[in-house]
Amino acid sequence: MSVNQQAHTGPPYGQPQPGYQGYQQPAYGGQPLPGVPQSQYGAYNGPMPGYQQPVPPQGSLRAPPTSGAPPPASGVSLPSGHLTYSQFGHGDVQNGIPASAAPMQRPPTSQPFLPGSGPTPVSQTSTFQQYGPPPASVQQLSNHMAGMTIGSTSASAPPPAGLGYGPPTSVPPVSGSFSATGSGLYTPYTASQGPPPTSVSQGLPLAQPPFPGPPMSTQRLPAQVPGFAPPPSSTGIGPSSYPPTTGAPRPPTIPGPPLPGQTVAGPPTSQPNHVSSPPPPSTMPGPHPGPPMSGLHGPPPPTHPPQPGYQMQQNGSFGQVRGPQPNYGGAYPGTPNYGSQPGPPPPPKRLDPDSIPSPIQVIEDDRSNRGSEPFVTGVRGQVPPLVTTNFLVKDQGNASPRYIRCTSYNIPCTSDMAKQSQVPLAAVIKPLATLPPEETLPYLVDHGESGPVRCNRCKAYMCPFMQFIEGGRRFQCCFCSCVTEVPPHYFQHLDHTGKRVDFYDRPELSLGSYEFLATVDYCKNNKFPSPPAFIFMIDVSYNAVKSGLVRLICEELKSLLDYLPREGNMEESAIRVGFVTYNKVLHFYNVKSSLAQPQMMVVSDVADMFVPLLDGFLVNVNESRTVIASLLDQIPEMFADTRETETVFAPVIQAGLEALKAAECAGKLFIFHTSLPIAEAPGKLKNRDDRKLINTDKEKTLFQPQTSFYNNLAKDCVAQGCCVDLFLFPNQYLDVATLGVVPYQTGGSIYKYAYFQLETDQDRFLNDLRRDVQKEVGFDAVMRVRTSTGIRATDFFGAFYMSNTTDVEMAGLDCDKTITVEFKHDDKLSEDSGALLQCALLYTSCAGQRRLRIHNLSLNCCTQLADLYRNCETDTLINYLAKYAYRGVLSSPVKTVRDALINQCAQILACYRKNCASPSSAGQLILPECMKLLPVYLNCVLKSDVLQPGPEVTTDDRAYIRQLVTSMDVAETNVFFYPRLLPLTKADVDSDSLPAAIRNSEERLSKGDIYLLENGLNIFVWVGVNVQQGLIQNLFGVSSFSQISNALSTLPVLENPFSKKVRSIVGVLQVQRSRYMKLIVVKQEDKLEMLFKHFLVEDKSLSGGASYVDFLCHMHKEIRQLLS
């Protein structure tokens, strides 16, 4: 397989996976509309008409090796070869197919895989069908294998002596793992249990003592799949020369004894290996990249005796070496030509994409291991299921992972250990996260006028970890150890265990998340707040009117105002509304309920902004309904003939801010804006777009605001609780980096619809607007994170403002926004007491109630690095690293930022290799089980448009994405960086489940199928040139491939099962995401396909990004340099 082709990847995170019952949701409305030009910024806002991408120079990845396993010269030669996956031996599931050791060749005809046929699903382990002669005695095998080196054990678990065929002897099954069905799979270990020895000790005959060998990585790679030689164990990745260790076949029923020189996958025709020649490249696409883990039913390849000079031979045996097949093939169709001659000597070494860790497989495994049981939060330091797993949470004292996720749940006791590992200690906090209907919202606790009980010294709020002493009269703070008197009204006796007898009646003593009603002391100026206001500010310049945007907004607002957020049981929303239109001047509207017609007041002195009316500007929707409706009917008519093309921007925000000040309330401005504000006014901008700065030291200026004016304006907005949400409709550069400053620092959102076209973009815009107006928001918010002694919060990432080093201030905080907090040691921690975090958010609800929301989390502490590496969460780590890098581009050249990311990850993995894995050859790449996807995900971040833009990515796109990612949660970054790719033609029209995802590589696409790719911003429907006419008719309502329109923004509503199923899948995905994704239909070999391929992140990118295989080799080289 060519180096940049990769194996199937799975559903990216955060989505319903195959087995997950997606909620059936009708696809969002909207009929297909006639052809419309597409927007130019494809990547984020839609395809651009014909955009060609020249191939840029190879990016700054420090020249990743081009071939999968770089030639020895490059320093990566992984001599000892293996992809050792560490966790692997244990019957764990396969990542892709372990092609590692011996990728079996694909059958000559590539066959599409049908669910249910071929490759079995994830947990498959039993069927070992044998082809060919029955196994000769196992003894024979064992003799062969006796010399194999296998990887030894993990840091923590002693190698079971005889993992061998047959059920695991000494490896106890572990939670969350697949129990080995059938023959001898070993039970995998869950992360929390230390990975067992992994490295290739896969299929050793029992009673073979473990051999020193590749260390354990802890990767749970391929569980042996039936017909495969296991890849070497620990997640080692060493293509070159797969040494013998790699593949001891696993299942007991091994098909024939390997003859001495036999190639790995075939019948025993003995064929001397070309001594020490490396395995053939992945041209032999090893096992088909099948669906997750497809176990090929084929003979487990025999291995050769490990003689020093023998490499695992991979070719020959199954027919000629074939190039990668586009389809993902199914299980071996018939018995392949057994007796074929050994093929030509293998070409240079190359890693087989099926033998390296597969995101799809990891996601599937976690889903099957952890999706069925609720996640109970009562235990300290538990690692939650992945964000892509659909699970229920039961709060028993620690905050749900929906509110807080950490990079590691077991943190080093000392700062030296933390520095040595380089694993950042960070928490991604989403204080107002939306919970699924089956989970209980945080309880609201009212302690009356005295307010919440707090520690006298550090002011931490009462929580489950506080220790009551002296019969309940005092409590010792779990954060600072100070002893505080219990207020008389709060006193309660203790039971025989030292717990208060009202423990279960009080949310703050028994739950991880809860709310307190705040007293007047927690309010601005010591008075309770008024309910917030929403002000809609509409650009009525020529572009906005001509495109139909003004009319669309006015029509939508007539009905949307009935859906303003309100407290649970309130009859109507307490939020008041106001309206402003603007171009070079501002128009305010008096919509007082007593008026027959709205009145307009114009402010043309934009240099000194004021609000011309107080009474009648902010009104109750129900009281002023007829006046508002009349205004919304009149606005499009009033400006229908405008010739004004220039706009102002800063005065618009100032007007909204002044209106909220006058009304003495917090609120949100919804600004709809179309162009660069060049009219004479404060905050006027010039066009400074310059692509020539890319890859120079001045590139950072493209991400910085042009002027500090907006930073000062943002500060004033935060002080008043004025949050800004900005909807942009640009037809050219409008400087998102500068216009976005105020929304970003006030906790607001930016939405961008480049080249807005009514027909294709209105659905997306209206859905975004509806959700934005209706979602839960807290106003005038301040968040502080307290920690127990030993660590403290030192750095913060997200959309907010900070006037000091501890308080995160947000004029508005909605249910989609996250704040990422990094912690550093300031003292030693102890294993006994662990570490605690308490996030306290003070905010005003949409009804004007002042509240405190508290989230608590307890983490373990460790003195052994192995415990740290066993309890990390890669998705959260990537979320943090992306935000850290995206902030870095503001002050450093992009190349410096990229190199720092690669270096930090190499250090994390090198530290693991050096301190936690057992000694083994430097040629093995060994990855910790919990971090085996770190390289593939990190490569996706490095190839993202912010860090490595292709020629079609505009400066505004990059600034937009940079701000967007900074406040994304873990599920969003997961699918954004590693999109979810679903084969629609494999969907079962009779079930609610989604089809199993495949890996993000062109190699996985078959010309006869239709695929859906989503990344949280776009949904692409890719149609192969050979798709059956019937499917095209059913999905698009046209009779041939050539008639499918590229301009579709919604799928036609057709009455047939396939159309209904696909529309339902699109609906399910739309509901999961915080933004309405733009639907783009891509025909194979069409000009839009370039845009689509940009998201096949395991392949080489046109902007110079490395393929996954190349990057893995590059990381290995970096790690080896660090170790040497």
Side-chain angles (χ1 to χ4, degrees), residues 158 171 177 188 344 543 551 630 632 634 648 697 802 847 931 966 1121:
V171 184
S177 40
N543 277 342
R551 187 174 296 280
S630 168
L632 294 172
Q634 290 175 39
V648 296
D697 284 352
M802 290 187 81
M931 288 191 187
T966 307
Q1121 280 173 352

Side-chain angles (χ1 to χ4, degrees), residues 245-266:
T245 87
T246 26
R250 175 87 278 179
T253 47
I254 269 282
L259 302 182
Q262 155 144 350
T263 53
V264 148

